[in-house]
């Protein structure tokens, strides 16, 4: 294994992140604060408790997921798209590295950044609501798996994308709606029965439900199902990336 | 001599159907400088990209240092440094981090002294903290070379390294190449500048239309294909070339005080002796004679024309 290559890629990617640290830090803090002001305080004060929780607390897990998923995808896709776009990908393709090493470097860095943002949001949320975390280990595990799997999805998008528009379109048209409709801001039990069923086809539902369980020990869906879903999703993405490198799809002529 | 790169029956058809390599066989010897000459679209870049792993071969096989470039890609790529034709660098990175990254990517242990030596050799040391986007085109090219050298390759590919580069930098690069050769590095370069091949190559390969037309020692190639020109200085200018000298196809030099005679140096009879006799007979007095070899460029143009015919 070329561990040096993984480390080189990881460090290179993280350096980019640290250069724009303030920006990386401030924008999620501001947007999360806005969510709390609008949903938690302004609107939330008119909403009754959800599942026995204040609305402000209820939305914390979903809010973290929302940002983490967006961040993971955008970091994961940009990290590999940029070298493709400017042409420096030649070096990656001609280096003695296999696909797992490339993925470990890029996706590892993207996931680290997303994790960092997730923790920043968690810290910001703690300013607005009283938070107690029922299952801290499970919470971290869910957070990590989410960072990882969506960075992988981002990585795939970055390889697939032929231009900046395509790079934006999947997150914008598919992922963001799935996250908003994934129960970030409501409980599934609040939906009419038919929508409760339809919602089950949305993979993000399992994530948010599981994550909420880690916080509050209560969830829309069984925790094992959530765990199974996120693991399966990660494996699926990894399999697809393996196929990409085996066939050279969109990478090698 | 052992072949460090061995290419057998290499074909490459792009997805578009374009057949860029139509069966290339080539052995590159360890420690040599091989220049690949060919017009635009000949397949030079495709050949290099396929050896380096950037493009997939359609059929045929390549080994580098005995490692198959597909099955043993790690071993093969470990030995290769590549300077691509197009300049592409991470714009916001410094020279230092960009070059260090390359070394790390090839799994080499961090070695700041080594990187420093490379940067100094390429006159990049003063620019080590500059962002690559702040550099001139020639400097960027140097950074690409530094990146390729950072992991101490045994085989270096330079794809048109001096295209669009000023004379001074070109000289610098030739020196670098000579230094690398002295260190035992095998160098393959493609170029449009024939004088480049002429100045530094040991062997020259001519590629056109996806085929390697020939690979030969530079000297042998020039000798085999070489036409020479005899220039004859006259004591007095001539009004016109006398009819009695018609069969020699003489031309005037820059002014009418010299005559040019082109001959094939490998021909059984060059005709020089007879020409001089006939000149004297025509009452023309010579002050001096000199010969000059035709350049690789002329040889090359001749070859490609032949191929097209
Ligand atoms: N990615 C590609 N897809 C399709 N055709 C290509 C591609 N790259 C190069 N070609 C074609 O292959 C031929 C050889 O190109 P190239 O290897 O770049 O030649 P050279 O480097 O000698 O100028 C050209 O006709 C070129 O148009
Ligand atoms: Mg080329």
């Amino acid at each position: 294994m070329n561990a040096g290559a993984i480390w080189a890629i990881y460090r290179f990617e993280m350096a980019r992140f640290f250069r724009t640290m303030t920006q990386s830090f401030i924008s999620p803090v501001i947007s999360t604060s806005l969510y709390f002001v609008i949903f938690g305080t302004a609107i939330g004060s008119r909403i009754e408790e959800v599942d026995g929780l204040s609305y402000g607390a209820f939305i914390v897990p979903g809010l973290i997921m929302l940002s983490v998923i967006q961040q993971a995808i955008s970091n994961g896709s940009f990290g590999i798209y940029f070298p493709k776009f400017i042409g420096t990908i030649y070096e990656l393709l001609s280096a003695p590295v296999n696909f797992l090493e490339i993925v470990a470097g890029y996706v590892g860095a993207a996931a680290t950044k997303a994790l960092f943002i997730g923790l920043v949001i968690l810290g910001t949320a703690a300013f607005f609501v009283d938070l107690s975390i029922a299952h801290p280990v499970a919470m971290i595990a869910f957070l990590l798996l989410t960072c990882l799997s969506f960075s992988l999805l981002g990585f795939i998008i970055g390889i697939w994308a032929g231009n900046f528009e395509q790079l934006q379109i999947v997150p914008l048209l598919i992922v963001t709606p799935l996250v908003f409709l994934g129960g970030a801001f409501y409980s599934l039990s609040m939906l009419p029965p038919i929508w409760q069923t339809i919602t089950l086809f949305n993979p993000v539902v399992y994530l948010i439900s599981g994550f909420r369980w880690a916080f509050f020990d209560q969830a829309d869906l069984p925790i094992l199902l959530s765990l199974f879903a996120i693991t399966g999703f990660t494996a699926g993405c990894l399999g697809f990336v393996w196929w990409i490198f085996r066939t050279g799809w969109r990478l090698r002529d | 001599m052992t072949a460090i790169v061995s290419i057998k029956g290499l074909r490459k058809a792009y997805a578009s159907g374009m057949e860029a390599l139509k069966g290339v066989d080539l052995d590159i010897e360890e420690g040599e400088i091989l220049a690949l000459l060919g017009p635009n679209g000949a397949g030079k870049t495709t050949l290099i990209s396929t050896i380096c792993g950037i493009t997939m071969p359609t059929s045929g096989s390549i080994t580098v240092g005995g490692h198959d470039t597909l099955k043993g890609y790690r071993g093969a790529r470990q030995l290769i440094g590549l300077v691509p034709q197009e300049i592409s660098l991470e714009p916001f990175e410094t020279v230092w981090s960009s070059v260090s990254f390359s070394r790390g990517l090839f799994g080499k242990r961090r070695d700041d002294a080594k990187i420093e030596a490379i940067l100094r050799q390429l006159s990049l040391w003063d620019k080590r903290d500059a962002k690559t986007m702040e550099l001139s085109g020639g400097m960027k090219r140097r950074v690409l070379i530094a990146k390729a050298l950072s992991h101490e390759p045994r085989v270096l590919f330079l794809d048109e390294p001096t295209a669009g580069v000023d004379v001074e930098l070109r000289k610098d690069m030739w020196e670098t190449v000579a230094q690398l050769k002295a260190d035992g590095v095998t160098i393959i370069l493609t170029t449009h500048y024939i004088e480049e091949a002429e100045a530094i190559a040991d062997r020259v390969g001519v590629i056109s239309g996806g085929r390697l037309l020939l690979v030969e020692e530079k000297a042998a190639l020039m000798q085999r294909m070489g036409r020479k020109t005899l220039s004859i200085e006259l004591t007095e200018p001539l009004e016109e070339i006398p009819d009695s000298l018609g069969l020699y196809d003489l031309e005037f030099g820059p002014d009418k005080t010299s005559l040019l005679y082109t001959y094939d140096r490998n021909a059984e009879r060059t005709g020089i002796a007879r020409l001089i006799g006939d000149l004297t007979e025509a009452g023309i007095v010579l002050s001096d004679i000199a010969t000059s070899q035709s350049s690789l460029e002329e040889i090359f143009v001749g070859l490609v024309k032949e191929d097209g015919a």
Side-chain angles (χ1 to χ4, degrees), chain A residues 11-32:
Chain A
R11 258 188 37 176
F12 202 73
E13 287 298 297
M14 291 309 287
R16 199 206 319 272
F17 178 62
F18 285 123
R19 269 200 306 269
T20 54
M21 185 77 170
T22 331
Q23 194 189 327
S24 319
F25 186 81
I26 285 179
S27 82
V29 170
I30 291 182
S31 64
T32 311

Side-chain angles (χ1 to χ4, degrees), chain A residues 128-145:
Chain A
F128 291 88
V129 288
D130 282 334
L131 275 181
S132 63
I133 301 168
H135 308 283
V137 177
M139 193 278 284
I140 293 291
F142 257 98
L143 196 56
L144 270 175
L145 272 174

Side-chain angles (χ1 to χ4, degrees), chain A residues 1-2 4-5 8-9 11-12 16 19 82 86-88 90-98 101 246 252-253, chain B residues 12 14 52-56 73-74 77-78 82 84 88-91 93 101-102 104-107 144 147:
Chain A
M1 197 181 70
N2 187 347
I9 296 171
R11 258 188 37 176
F12 202 73
R16 199 206 319 272
R19 269 200 306 269
F82 193 55
I86 62 175
T88 52
Y90 83 86
E91 203 175 17
L92 220 50
L93 297 179
S94 59
V97 290
N98 68 14
E101 290 150 1
R246 202 176 57 97
R252 289 189 166 93
D253 289 312
Chain B
K12 172 64 190 179
Y14 283 106
C52 295
I54 295 167
T55 31
M56 304 285 238
Y73 67 94
R74 272 195 210 264
R77 293 183 194 170
Q78 197 73 58
L82 167 64
S88 44
L89 288 166
E90 291 268 353
E93 295 296 333
F101 170 73
S102 299
L105 192 60
F106 278 72
L144 285 180
K147 281 167 77 76

Side-chain angles (χ1 to χ4, degrees), chain A:
Chain A
M1 197 181 70
N2 187 347
I6 300 177
W7 179 234
I9 296 171
Y10 185 84
R11 258 188 37 176
F12 202 73
E13 287 298 297
M14 291 309 287
R16 199 206 319 272
F17 178 62
F18 285 123
R19 269 200 306 269
T20 54
M21 185 77 170
T22 331
Q23 194 189 327
S24 319
F25 186 81
I26 285 179
S27 82
V29 170
I30 291 182
S31 64
T32 311
S33 304
L34 285 175
Y35 274 116
F36 275 112
V37 169
I38 295 167
F39 289 115
T41 314
I43 297 177
S45 62
R46 299 178 169 244
I47 298 179
E48 310 218 336
E49 292 194 339
V50 183
D51 299 342
L53 299 165
S54 79
Y55 188 65
F58 177 82
I59 62 172
V60 170
L63 216 46
I64 295 176
M65 279 287 161
L66 177 66
S67 291
V68 161
I69 288 175
Q70 282 170 341
Q71 286 288 330
I73 290 184
S74 87
N75 294 331
S77 60
F78 189 77
I80 191 70
Y81 178 77
F82 193 55
K84 236 179 56 167
F85 178 68
I86 62 175
T88 52
I89 188 98
Y90 83 86
E91 203 175 17
L92 220 50
L93 297 179
S94 59
V97 290
N98 68 14
F99 95 100
L100 269 179
E101 290 150 1
I102 296 180
V103 168
Y106 280 102
V107 171
T112 307
K113 298 175 208 175
L115 180 67
F116 171 80
I117 302 289
L119 295 176
V120 166
I121 293 174
L122 185 61
T124 312
F127 269 106
F128 291 88
V129 288
D130 282 334
L131 275 181
S132 63
I133 301 168
H135 308 283
V137 177
M139 193 278 284
I140 293 291
F142 257 98
L143 196 56
L144 270 175
L145 272 174
T146 306
C147 291
L148 218 60
S149 57
F150 281 88
S151 296
L152 262 174
L153 180 65
F155 187 85
I156 294 169
I157 294 171
I159 287 181
W160 164 79
N163 53 48
F164 273 101
E165 229 166 49
Q166 291 181 342
L167 197 64
Q168 310 285 359
I169 211 148
V170 175
L172 203 66
L173 288 189
I174 302 173
V175 179
T176 305
L178 283 183
V179 177
F180 271 95
L181 299 176
F185 298 109
Y186 53 82
S187 165
L188 294 197
S189 57
M190 295 159 86
L191 296 174
I194 171 77
W195 280 102
Q196 289 192 19
T197 312
I198 292 174
T199 298
L200 293 182
F201 289 97
N202 179 354
V204 180
V205 164
Y206 299 88
L207 272 184
I208 293 183
S209 169
F211 201 43
R212 195 169 281 141
W213 172 85
F215 272 86
F216 307 125
D217 197 29
Q218 49 183 301
D220 292 327
L221 299 161
I223 175 65
L224 276 180
L225 191 58
S226 292
L227 207 59
F228 183 74
I230 178 78
T231 314
F233 180 59
T234 311
C237 287
L238 205 57
F240 193 59
V241 173
W242 171 79
W243 175 84
I244 287 175
F245 278 90
R246 202 176 57 97
T247 58
W249 182 72
R250 300 239 175 181
L251 273 183
R252 289 189 166 93
D253 289 312

